[in-house]
Amino acid sequence: MTPSPPSTEQVWELDRAVDDLVRGEAAWAACDRAKRREVLRQVHAATARAAEAWVRAAVAYKRLPEDSPLVGEEWITGPYPVLTSCGALVASIEALEESRSPVDGFSFGRAPGGRVTVRVLPHSVWDQLLLNGFSAEVWMPPGVTEREVRTRAGLAQLRPAETNGVGIVLGAGNITSIPILDVLYELYANNRVVALKLNPVTDGLLDVFGEVLAPLIDLGAVRIVTGGADVGAYLVHHPKVSHVHMTGSAATHDAIVFGTGAEGAARKAAGTPLLDKPVTSELGGVSPTIVIPGDWSEADLRYQAEHVATQKLHNGGYNCVASQVVVISSEWKQKDRFLTLLRQALSDAPVRPAYYPGSDERVNRAVDAYADARRLAGGRVLLTDLDPAEPGPALTTEYFGPVLAVLELPGDCGQFLDLAIHTANERIAGTLGVNLIAHPRTVAMLGGALDEAIAELRYGTVALNAWTGVGYLTATAGWGAFPGHTPDDVQSGIGVVHNALLLDGPERTVVRGPFRPAPRALLHGQPVMSPRPPWFVTHRTAATTGRLLADFAAAPRWTALPKIFASALRG
């Protein structure tokens, strides 16, 4: 259904906001790199000041108990990534000011298929200490040379005076850093001034976001508006808006680009969009977790079951990159024990309200589609006994809620991995993120074949023994769908965000993490100092650790580290 138009008063306010931005574009064009860097520092400082109010507002609309460890999620995915992104963007602009490339000082490598890679994590000594055992690389498309990476890094900041009009950002309603990060990317990577339209779910953050973005608002480069679908539709079709960026679902994207109902479906089939301007997007999908068979200890099985439960239940399952399908070998001798522990981890995770609109309806649809669906504690649903030949909607419908499916495929380690990759690429909807879990001995046994497998996966972020959410939190990594989607087959979206190194056209981010946490990893001869990550839903001190991490990102210093380590270890 096409939304009704906004009221006359709303139209006046929206037109005024867009006209402000038309004038603000000239002010933004007049800002040299030094000024833009200073504005980023001001946004960083404003974020630090507003962090407490930011988290309180997020906790309120997600209806979390104020003393819950889950409050840590709001620190780690709210102010924390905005603080780190501001710092990384400042470093990139400083490099350009000094006639250097933003990637100078970063390590380059090679990946299968003639790909150049940039190692973005760890980079600083703080990374090496706080995320010990984790790494991330940005892989460029085949054929792009290291020289091209260096000379092209900087994007719009290579020519800051050449602005690109007014853009509209349709903000996300789940992870509260997304709208701010998207605004910063539009301004600094694409040289567009921005009207940020909040998702109604996050209207309680209006004052906080106004404080965080105040330096850009005062400059005339940003305006924030609220309202429903009617406001969004008016803005995206506004004749003075030249570009749209959105976070949401593929269905919402199609409604914006092609329209709704039978007419919208006909336009999509014909490839004739209703919207006559470019749209970039980060959309979600059905993210798989591929569990590669191996010989695991009981502690390994339990830890990785909690890891998969976290991939599903972080933020209640309302994540565009939440795992939805666990792909597992039917011939793995430890399969039954792992699935028992997974059910237990899903049931034992802290209960939280289903705050995101439509959640119960989507969960019920999943239950209705599968006769063997199991309702677990806390409103979670586990779908098992999927038929590999006809697995049903769990592989093609993003439930965006606490629903996890298990798909068993035949084969030993190598055969299973080949089949799992084919299934992920060809049968599972979306290309935003895929997780792989493998024992260190299995990783060593597969050797180069595992890198080839990672290269074969068509996903924007691939994570081995880590959750793809780590890629989201890495400011210098790109975040988005695998490249190549088109408006009439958008999958998980078009374009990337974050990407604080301002790399030109990254293909994917590859994240690696420790199979075991410290101190147990040390007992197995693995030099890993990171304990159970604070984003685990089972982390007992996540709220304290998340607050300390955000405080550290606001002002990195040696004296803050002991408290962070002590809190993380207690979790």
Side-chain angles (χ1 to χ4, degrees), residues 286-297:
V286 177
S287 292
T289 295
I290 299 171
V291 181
I292 304 175
D295 186 10
W296 299 9
S297 70

Side-chain angles (χ1 to χ4, degrees), residues 6-21:
S7 67
T8 301
E9 184 178 353
Q10 284 178 307
V11 168
W12 288 342
E13 292 176 354
L14 296 172
D15 285 347
R16 185 163 54 247
V18 173
D19 287 341
D20 286 348
L21 290 169

